[in-house]
Amino acid sequence: MNKEEILAKNREDNKNQDEMEKNAFSNAGRTACAVGGILCMVILLLEVILTDNGPSLSLWAIYLSMTGTMLLVKYKSLRKTHELIFGLIQLALAVVFLVLHIMRIVR
């Protein structure tokens, strides 16, 4: 691949997006995931303290599926192996928590 082909591919990949917009979207996503994780922890603590039902696994299934998907999308772009590994682990845990949640509901 020569210099001109690389530049043309880069222009096509970044069509209709500027760097500031990409950074803002990235920061918003990270902040949203952090706030979601904190909220899940607060709800978990309240459920453990105030109820006898135990923690809500459905919350964690949702949260882990969101963060796992985010990591897999990052892996697709950056090709960093740790993003793939942690993304797959989080999605696997999301499936486990979802199955446990369904089993709790069916009983």
Side-chain angles (χ1 to χ4, degrees), residues 8-53:
K9 182 170 177 15
N10 187 37
R11 276 189 221 101
E12 182 64 30
D13 288 345
N14 295 317
K15 189 176 183 179
N16 297 326
Q17 294 180 357
D18 64 356
E19 198 63 33
M20 183 181 248
E21 185 179 2
K22 285 182 181 180
N23 286 335
F25 189 72
S26 177
N27 288 336
R30 281 194 302 274
T31 303
C33 281
V35 169
I38 292 168
L39 187 57
C40 283
M41 287 302 295
V42 168
I43 291 171
L44 172 80
L45 290 173
L46 289 173
E47 287 176 336
V48 168
I49 293 169
L50 301 175
T51 69
D52 294 331
N53 299 336

Side-chain angles (χ1 to χ4, degrees), residues 1-105:
M1 209 178 236
N2 65 28
K3 180 180 175 181
E4 293 303 319
E5 291 172 337
I6 293 171
L7 288 173
K9 182 170 177 15
N10 187 37
R11 276 189 221 101
E12 182 64 30
D13 288 345
N14 295 317
K15 189 176 183 179
N16 297 326
Q17 294 180 357
D18 64 356
E19 198 63 33
M20 183 181 248
E21 185 179 2
K22 285 182 181 180
N23 286 335
F25 189 72
S26 177
N27 288 336
R30 281 194 302 274
T31 303
C33 281
V35 169
I38 292 168
L39 187 57
C40 283
M41 287 302 295
V42 168
I43 291 171
L44 172 80
L45 290 173
L46 289 173
E47 287 176 336
V48 168
I49 293 169
L50 301 175
T51 69
D52 294 331
N53 299 336
S56 175
L57 299 175
S58 60
L59 285 176
W60 289 105
I62 293 167
Y63 179 73
L64 289 170
S65 66
M66 290 169 44
T67 56
T69 301
M70 185 175 71
L71 289 172
L72 291 181
V73 170
K74 281 177 65 177
Y75 168 75
K76 184 179 176 186
S77 297
L78 303 175
R79 297 291 183 207
K80 293 184 178 179
T81 307
H82 69 277
E83 304 284 357
L84 174 64
I85 293 168
F86 288 117
L88 291 174
I89 289 170
Q90 288 187 4
L91 287 176
L93 284 172
V95 169
V96 168
F97 286 163
L98 181 62
V99 168
L100 291 173
H101 177 69
I102 291 170
M103 288 171 56
R104 186 185 286 176
I105 290 173

